[in-house]
């Protein structure tokens, strides 16, 4: 009788508690969103910070020339590269805000 129970256990192809990958992913995603939504103040501060950074970065790109005055003038290029580098650095450093310290 013990052998019969063992073989019945190993013949099972799936568990009664398993879900499809889609359903399991949706349940985990829903739970994480509910956990994150409980920290509303933190998310509103991050949103305000993001809007401020977007405004500053947009101001850097505002009215930059697309071309130089002649073939040797590369100031337009260096200004755009500098503004792009600033945007990448600021957004990268801003990602550390959402990391929990403790």
């Amino acid at each position: 009788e013990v052998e019969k129970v063992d073989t019945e256990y190993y013949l099972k192809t799936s568990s009664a508690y398993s879900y499809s990958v889609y359903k399991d992913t949706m349940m985990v995603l829903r739970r994480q969103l509910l956990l994150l939504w409980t920290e509303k103040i933190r998310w509103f501060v991050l949103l305000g910070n993001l809007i401020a950074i977007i405004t500053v970065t947009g101001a850097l790109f505002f009215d930059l020339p697309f071309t130089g005055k002649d073939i040797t003038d590369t100031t337009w290029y260096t200004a755009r590269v500098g503004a792009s580098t600033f945007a990448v650095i600021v957004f990268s450093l801003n990602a550390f805000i959402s990391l929990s310290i403790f």
Side-chain angles (χ1 to χ4, degrees), residues 5 10 16-17 26 43 50 52 56 59 67 72 78 89 91 97 100:
V5 172
Y10 287 113
Y17 300 106
M26 288 298 128
W43 288 105
L50 181 66
V56 169
T67 57
T72 60
T78 55
I89 289 172
F91 279 115
I97 293 175
S100 61

Side-chain angles (χ1 to χ4, degrees), residues 43-78:
W43 288 105
F44 286 129
V45 167
L46 286 174
L47 182 64
N49 190 8
L50 181 66
I51 290 171
I53 289 173
I54 287 172
T55 305
V56 169
T57 307
L60 287 174
F61 282 99
F62 183 73
D63 205 22
L64 283 179
F66 285 108
T67 57
K69 295 178 183 175
D70 58 2
I71 193 76
T72 60
D73 185 17
T74 59
T75 56
W76 67 274
Y77 179 74
T78 55

Side-chain angles (χ1 to χ4, degrees), residues 82-95:
S84 301
T85 305
F86 174 79
V88 168
I89 289 172
V90 168
F91 279 115
S92 299
L93 292 175
N94 191 31

Side-chain angles (χ1 to χ4, degrees), residues 1-2 4 10 13 17 19-20 25 27 33 39-40 45-46 65 67-68 72 75 80 86-87 89 91 94 98 101:
E1 188 172 316
V2 173
K4 183 179 179 185
Y10 287 113
T13 57
Y17 300 106
Y19 295 105
S20 68
T25 304
M27 287 181 356
L33 288 175
E39 302 173 0
K40 293 178 189 130
V45 167
L46 286 174
T67 57
T72 60
T75 56
R80 289 193 174 271
F86 174 79
I89 289 172
F91 279 115
N94 191 31
S98 60
I101 296 172

Side-chain angles (χ1 to χ4, degrees), residues 1 9 13 15-16 22 29 32 34 36 38 46 55 60 64 80 102:
E1 188 172 316
Y9 175 76
T13 57
S15 172
Y22 175 77
L29 182 64
Q32 287 300 317
L34 287 174
L36 291 176
T38 58
L46 286 174
T55 305
L60 287 174
L64 283 179
R80 289 193 174 271
F102 300 106

